[in-house]
Amino acid sequence: MTTTPPVLLRTADELHARVRSGRRAVVMTMGALHEGHATLIRTARDIAGADGEVVVTVFVNPLQFGAGEDLDRYPRTLDADLEIAGRAGADAVFAPSVDEVYPGGEPQVRVSAGPMGERLEGASRPGHFDGMLTVVAKLLHLTRPDLALYGQKDAQQLALIRRMVRDLNFGVEIIGVPTVREEDGLALSSRNRYLSTAERRTALALSQALFAGQDRHAAQEALRARAREVPATRARAEALGALGESRAAADAHAVATSAPGSATAVRDAARLVLDDAARATPPLELDYLALVDPSDFTEIGDDHTGDAVLAVAARVGATRLIDNVHLTFGTLGAAS
């Protein structure tokens, strides 16, 4: 791991002048680095290896902020960012100005996120993903990496970046890194610093709702796995009854041959937690709760098999937060 401070670069020419030997890994950020970013940087360091190079970009992209959003109050902490990036293993921090990234002013030609970019976050923040993809495309060209790492907390963003890279033939590998959480379960975010003590208590409902849905999903998958293992006899009903599913025990065969998991039940378990938080002081104002197919971010049905994302967005006070967990339907198990 790097022991010296990372080099601060302000222009693409400075970055391009650096001698490269191994692979270049890029971690894109808007600054205000925290442990979640540090995890991305450490992962990049491990993948790039001693001969590779890790570049962290720090750029608050104005195209990603809509009217009334927090562009002006978004934290700028470059000195602290340099220290965190260096400790995590970055070789260089690329912190360009707006003029460096958009030399002709706001770009007239932009990347369109397409239908997937109009759902969930895109519906709540029109134009957000077009701005995000445009700056990611610009930064990929400016930094010329072999691989780029992004956090899974921004699941829709990660899916869209992967789609753009595939559809537009970018020669870069995209790697997703699991969400980093604080001890109380809250997903790490630069916006967490805006929360008061009372607001933070309410905000915990986001992760608690996701974990409730995840637990319900795991219970369903375990029940179905058990139902398939036990012969279709009285013993199967007794085994299912021991799992606390009396209705399932009444018809074990139906359970064994039913859909892989009930998306409705997962959503309902999560929504109960969010409904309680809506009555808290201060209240949680839900934007959306969705259980979607990660390939296109459309809602899944109860017959879905394969991967899914349970995603939530809500506002507590003036702060808007997002979170998600990944689930797998049809096999026993769930991911982060």
Side-chain angles (χ1 to χ4, degrees), residues 9-11 30 58-65 71-72 76 94-107 110 135 138-139 142:
L9 307 171
R10 293 291 193 174
T11 69
M30 293 206 298
V58 174
F59 180 67
V60 181
N61 179 33
L63 300 189
Q64 289 176 236
F65 292 80
L71 173 61
D72 290 338
R76 274 81 165 175
F94 178 50
S97 66
V98 173
D99 288 340
E100 177 72 12
V101 178
Y102 303 120
E106 287 199 10
R110 306 189 185 195
V135 78
K138 294 271 286 186
L139 289 172
L142 291 171

Side-chain angles (χ1 to χ4, degrees), residues 195-321:
L195 298 169
S196 68
T197 301
E199 288 170 344
R200 185 185 175 90
R201 282 197 299 269
T202 297
L204 291 177
L206 272 77
S207 56
Q208 290 168 351
L210 296 178
F211 297 155
Q214 190 177 53
D215 288 347
R216 179 58 184 163
H217 166 265
Q220 290 177 157
E221 293 292 321
L223 176 65
R224 286 175 172 82
R226 181 60 177 156
R228 293 184 181 94
E229 292 173 1
V230 179
T233 63
R234 182 179 182 83
R236 170 184 276 176
E238 291 173 351
L240 291 167
L243 288 172
E245 296 281 348
S246 57
R247 287 184 298 173
D251 190 354
H253 180 70
V255 174
T257 58
S258 66
S262 171
T264 300
V266 172
R267 291 187 188 95
D268 288 347
R271 189 169 292 278
L272 283 174
V273 177
L274 297 170
D275 288 346
D276 284 344
R279 296 185 288 270
T281 303
L284 179 144
E285 299 175 18
L286 182 64
D287 187 345
Y288 61 76
L289 172 70
L291 184 55
V292 298
D293 185 328
S295 68
D296 59 8
F297 273 70
T298 57
E299 292 278 357
I300 66 169
D302 286 342
D303 60 347
H304 178 79
T305 59
D307 291 337
V309 174
L310 180 61
V312 63
R315 189 174 297 275
V316 181
T319 304
R320 186 176 183 277
L321 301 170

